[in-house]
């Protein structure tokens, strides 16, 4: 059976060219990039080329890029790095800030990825004030609400660029401008926008920006954090002097080379890739809306990444539909991969105002570089059939249908 993969927001396959670029660094060029011998210097040069490639994707300087183990680490580094640069001890070493510590405050949104949300919640337990700003029905934060939430002790605003479940893109330029007017550090989790839509850290006014390799056709376990020159940021990890002390640990040379290559490919094909994939996404969306009664696209009124659609199927248990589609050979998901299997409905979908039942009846389809026209044609057969089968068995559908 040919399997159709529409879950690129969960992870992407490693691009063949990326893999080719990486392979030598596992064997022939295996040396430690910190070694001073010739082999080490070759590995070093490869890491520095990758730094240039990642910097070029987001309009940064190479020395502003720090390689990490992925999006989660980059997000945690941004949140805790800013907070703990304001306190006497590294914040991970303390249970609670001392009473002498002047108050600290962070502003974020309710639809962030768990990597930011749970980092903020952990900081809150240590005594940091956190404001979680609500979003509108399409998943956008109101920049004026951010302005109103600012306090004298606000040290960080962290708002994601594109949401992983909805694809909704935030008005970051305006948020960045507000942050810079108030001289507050601005971090954005750009894991879902990196390689999909243009990013320029200068127009976004970002001080910190997170990327993850495996969301843009590089391997899992490698990522990057952009740290604008001059940003006061404490390291998370203690060790050697790698990456100017920002991130000790022997560099994951092969992974870093892969991320660099992936960034270069993404940059060269940004416009054409986006156009191709958004045409397929729109075709999928239109076809489903025409072919299935009682469905809605979540977050459709806001600007979105070109590859994502999140659809609510009245009367359907989302997980049952994922399984039914999997049996037909189509992979998709309910919300984020990391929260699948959780009993709670998606925090993103409830944040845009859906009821628990509506949130649980929503599925995310995310397309990518290898999605084809014939796969979309297949999806347009498989999804309506599966929905019809499930609805025929579903007493809740009759209830929902009579309500609408
Ligand atoms: C996947 C994802 C992350 C986490 O990145 P990892 O590299 O998997 O740790 C963070 N933020 C967003 C928006 C994501 O989609």
């Amino acid at each position: 059976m040919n399997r159709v993969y529409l879950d690129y927001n969960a992870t992407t396959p490693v691009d063949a060219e990326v893999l080719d670029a990486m392979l030598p660094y596992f064997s022939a060029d295996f040396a430690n990039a910190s070694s001073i011998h010739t082999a080490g210097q070759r590995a070093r040069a490869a890491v520095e080329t990758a730094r240039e490639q990642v910097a070029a994707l987001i309009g940064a300087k190479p020395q502003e890029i720090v390689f990490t183990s992925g999006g989660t680490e980059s997000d945690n580094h941004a949140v805790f790095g800013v907070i703990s640069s304001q306190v006497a001890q590294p914040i991970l070493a303390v249970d609670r800030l001392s009473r002498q510590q002047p108050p600290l405050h962070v502003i974020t949104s309710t639809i962030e990825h768990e990597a930011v949300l749970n980092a903020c919640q952990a900081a809150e337990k240590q005594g940091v004030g956190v404001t979680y700003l609500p979003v509108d029905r399409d998943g956008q934060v109101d920049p004026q609400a951010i302005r109103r939430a600012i306090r004298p002790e606000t040290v960080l605003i962290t708002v994601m660029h594109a949401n992983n479940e909805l694809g909704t893109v935030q008005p970051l330029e305006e948020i960045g401008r507000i942050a810079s007017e108030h001289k507050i550090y601005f971090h954005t989790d750009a894991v879902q926008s990196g390689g999909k839509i243009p990013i320029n850290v200068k127009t976004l006014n970002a001080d910190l920006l997170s990327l993850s390799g495996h969301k843009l056709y590089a391997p899992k376990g490698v990522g990057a954090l952009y740290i604008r020159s001059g940003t006061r940021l404490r390291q998370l990890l203690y060790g050697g002097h790698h990456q100017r002390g920002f991130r000790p640990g022997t560099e994951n040379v092969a992974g870093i080379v892969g991320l660099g290559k992936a960034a270069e490919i993404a940059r060269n094909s940004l416009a054409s890739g986006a156009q191709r994939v958004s045409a397929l996404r729109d075709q999928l969306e239109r076809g489903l809306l025409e072919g299935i009664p009682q469905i809605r696209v979540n977050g459709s009124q806001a600007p979105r990444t070109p590859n994502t659609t999140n659809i609510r199927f009245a009367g359907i248990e989302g997980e049952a539909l994922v399984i039914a589609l999997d049996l037909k050979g189509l992979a998709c998901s309910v919300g984020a991969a990391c929260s699948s299997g959780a009993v709670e409905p998606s925090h993103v979908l409830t944040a845009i105002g859906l009821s628990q039942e509506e949130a649980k009846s929503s599925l995310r389809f995310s397309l990518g570089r290898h999605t084809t026209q014939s796969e979309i044609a297949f999806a347009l057969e498989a999804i309506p059939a599966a929905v019809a089968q499930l609805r025929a068995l579903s007493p809740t559908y009759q209830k929902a249908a009579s309500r609408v």
Side-chain angles (χ1 to χ4, degrees), residues 54-285:
V54 171
L57 180 67
I58 60 172
K61 298 195 271 280
Q63 65 269 28
E64 295 174 316
I65 302 299
V66 167
F67 293 110
T68 66
S69 66
T72 300
E73 183 188 327
S74 296
D75 286 346
N76 275 267
H77 195 165
V79 171
F80 286 110
V82 167
I83 293 169
S84 61
S85 72
Q86 308 285 327
V87 301
Q89 323 98 305
I91 197 154
L92 292 178
V94 299
D95 287 336
R96 205 160 169 87
L97 298 178
S98 80
R99 290 187 201 288
Q100 286 79 46
Q101 170 64 45
L104 297 170
H105 177 240
V106 172
I107 299 172
T108 189
S109 84
T110 47
I111 64 161
E112 297 301 306
H113 187 273
E114 275 87 351
V116 166
L117 225 41
N118 291 344
C120 286
Q121 279 167 13
E124 221 178 347
K125 291 205 180 82
Q126 291 174 317
V128 174
V130 181
T131 299
Y132 302 90
L133 287 177
V135 295
D136 66 17
R137 284 209 67 96
D138 290 298
Q140 282 196 304
V141 177
D142 174 6
Q144 294 318 314
I146 292 195
R147 196 187 283 284
R148 288 191 294 274
I150 291 173
R151 304 180 194 164
E153 66 266 26
T154 306
V155 290
L156 177 69
I157 295 172
T158 172
V159 175
M160 73 199 315
H161 195 192
N163 182 266
N164 43 313
E165 296 188 34
L166 299 166
T168 302
V169 177
Q170 298 296 339
L172 284 199
E173 287 190 26
E174 217 177 324
I175 296 171
R177 208 174 314 123
I178 292 168
S180 101
E181 269 170 32
H182 290 81
K183 302 202 164 37
I184 298 166
Y185 283 144
F186 175 42
H187 165 250
T188 186
D189 174 340
V191 169
Q192 288 293 344
S193 56
K196 292 184 186 136
I197 56 176
I199 297 180
N200 186 304
V201 289
K202 294 192 190 69
T203 43
L204 298 181
N205 266 309
D207 299 295
L208 298 152
L209 181 144
S210 304
L211 292 171
S212 170
H214 75 100
K215 305 289 173 71
L216 49 89
Y217 307 92
K220 295 160 187 66
V222 64
L225 178 64
Y226 156 78
I227 307 173
R228 187 207 285 262
S229 305
T231 304
R232 270 183 71 197
L233 194 81
R234 188 170 237 155
Q235 68 210 79
L236 275 193
L237 302 176
Y238 290 81
H241 296 289
H242 314 80
Q243 306 203 68
R244 295 179 297 131
F246 273 121
R247 212 290 190 166
T250 304
E251 280 111 326
N252 169 8
V253 178
I256 289 169
V257 165
L259 178 55
K261 189 71 191 172
E264 182 189 74
I265 294 170
R267 180 165 167 254
N268 291 335
S269 59
L270 203 58
S272 58
Q275 205 173 18
R276 196 191 74 86
V277 85
S278 68
L280 291 172
R281 188 270 313 269
D282 293 347
Q283 185 193 349
L284 174 65
E285 230 168 48

Side-chain angles (χ1 to χ4, degrees), residues 350-364:
T350 49
I352 64 169
L354 300 195
S355 68
Q356 303 233 333
E357 190 187 317
E358 288 171 328
K360 285 187 169 182
S361 66
S362 298
L363 253 61
R364 175 185 74 189

